[in-house]
């Protein structure tokens, strides 16, 4: 199973999830090229490029088929993998994500966040990460999450904020053949439940779960519920 983090995240923020799911699966949680521990890796110029990089990683590990959990931008990459490389997936979890990069309810526009990074550099990540929690910087996992993504390439972050708004697979969702779970928090204002419903209505074989009282970092705000729902889904039918 591959756990793919999103924008400004890092593989390390999956640790509470891996502690549970690694008892059932061989789990890999890679850092996206340009982010966290992979900051020096070449930066893809599109979501499709990130999807191809993920497939390249699976190939390098000798993994032909795998289940894929994608969070936020990682969920966009996961959708692209499911569309472009359908034969590689067992099951698919789309978590806190959307079928296009047009996110009108995000805490600020992509252009405003780009301006933050151009003036503040890596320090701008703090406000973005805070927006993922209902309790913002007060949440116990806020510092942990910021640390997990530390070391990213600022150019990679700006690049991601330019390519994500250009990405849109709403007309291709019907091509996804993998059994899919869509999970989100009801207080996620970055990728709202409305986005989750759009995925649920368009992907042929889906289940939908909306968890109350959680925002964009559901897997840290209510880890036990996240692990139970995702683990049950991935094991069903095995």
């Amino acid at each position: 199973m591959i756990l793919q983090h999103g924008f400004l995240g890092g593989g390390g923020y999956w640790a509470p999830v891996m502690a549970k799911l690694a008892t059932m699966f061989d789990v890999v949680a890679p850092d996206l090229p340009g982010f966290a521990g992979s900051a020096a890796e070449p930066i893809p110029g599109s979501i499709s490029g990130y999807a191809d990089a993920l497939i390249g990683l699976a190939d390098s590990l000798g993994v032909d088929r795998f289940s894929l959990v994608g969070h936020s931008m990682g969920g966009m990459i996961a959708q692209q993998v499911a569309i472009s490389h359908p034969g590689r997936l067992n099951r698919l979890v789309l978590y806190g994500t959307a079928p296009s990069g047009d996110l009108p309810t995000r805490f600020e526009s992509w252009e405003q966040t780009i301006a933050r990074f151009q003036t503040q550099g890596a320090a701008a990540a703090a406000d973005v990460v805070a927006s993922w929690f209902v309790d913002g910087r007060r949440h116990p996992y806020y510092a942990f999450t910021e640390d997990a993504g530390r070391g990213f390439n600022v150019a990679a972050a700006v690049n991601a904020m330019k390519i994500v708004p250009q990405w849109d697979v709403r007309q291709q969702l019907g091509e996804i053949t993998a059994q899919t779970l869509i999970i989100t928090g009801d207080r996620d204002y970055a990728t709202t439940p409305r986005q989750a419903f759009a995925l649920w209505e368009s992907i042929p074989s889906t289940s939908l779960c909306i968890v109350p009282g959680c925002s964009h970092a559901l897997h840290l705000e209510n880890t036990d519920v996240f692990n139970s729902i995702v683990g049950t889904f991935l094991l069903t039918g095995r």
Side-chain angles (χ1 to χ4, degrees):
M1 180 174 65
I2 295 178
L3 301 171
Q4 186 58 75
H5 72 80
F7 178 62
L8 296 182
Y13 79 12
W14 292 111
V17 175
M18 293 180 71
K20 175 67 174 180
L21 296 185
T23 65
M24 299 178 279
F25 303 93
D26 293 325
V27 182
V28 178
D31 293 324
L32 286 172
F35 292 90
S38 295
E41 295 296 315
I43 304 169
S46 65
I47 295 297
S48 292
Y50 278 103
D52 291 342
L54 191 152
I55 291 296
L57 171 66
D59 289 344
S60 71
L61 296 173
V63 176
D64 181 44
R65 291 181 64 89
F66 53 92
S67 291
L68 176 59
V69 179
H71 178 218
S72 194
M73 176 182 164
M76 297 175 182
I77 295 165
Q79 291 171 66
Q80 194 65 58
V81 168
I83 291 166
S84 301
H85 306 276
R88 302 300 295 270
L89 295 183
N90 292 322
R91 294 204 161 203
L92 176 66
V93 178
L94 302 177
Y95 156 41
T97 193
S100 83
D102 180 19
L103 305 176
T105 58
R106 192 174 178 269
F107 82 107
E108 65 183 7
S109 71
W110 289 115
E111 291 77 14
Q112 288 171 314
T113 309
I114 289 172
R116 281 180 185 265
F117 278 87
Q118 290 173 335
T119 58
Q120 301 174 29
D127 287 331
V128 178
V129 174
S131 74
W132 300 348
F133 294 91
V134 172
D135 292 332
R137 296 172 191 249
R138 298 186 304 276
H139 194 277
Y141 270 125
Y142 163 76
F144 165 82
T145 306
E146 189 180 15
D147 285 344
R150 201 175 300 280
F152 66 90
N153 183 329
V154 172
V158 172
N159 172 72
M161 289 184 284
K162 290 180 177 179
I163 66 174
V164 165
Q166 301 172 9
W167 177 83
D168 188 335
V169 294
R170 285 175 289 186
Q171 300 306 312
Q172 297 171 271
L173 293 176
E175 300 173 22
I176 295 179
T177 57
Q179 181 75 30
T180 303
L181 168 67
I182 298 148
I183 183 169
T184 194
D186 70 339
R187 297 182 64 182
D188 186 341
Y189 301 117
T191 53
T192 66
R194 184 172 297 176
Q195 303 278 17
F197 274 107
L199 292 166
W200 177 64
E201 290 173 341
S202 298
I203 297 173
S205 184
T206 59
S207 299
L208 173 65
C209 183
I210 298 176
V211 180
C214 294
S215 186
H216 198 56
L218 158 63
H219 74 287
L220 298 172
E221 292 179 298
N222 199 331
T223 302
D224 289 344
V225 167
F226 182 90
N227 285 348
S228 177
I229 292 167
V230 172
T232 298
F233 169 76
L234 292 174
L235 288 170
T236 300
R238 288 188 58 184

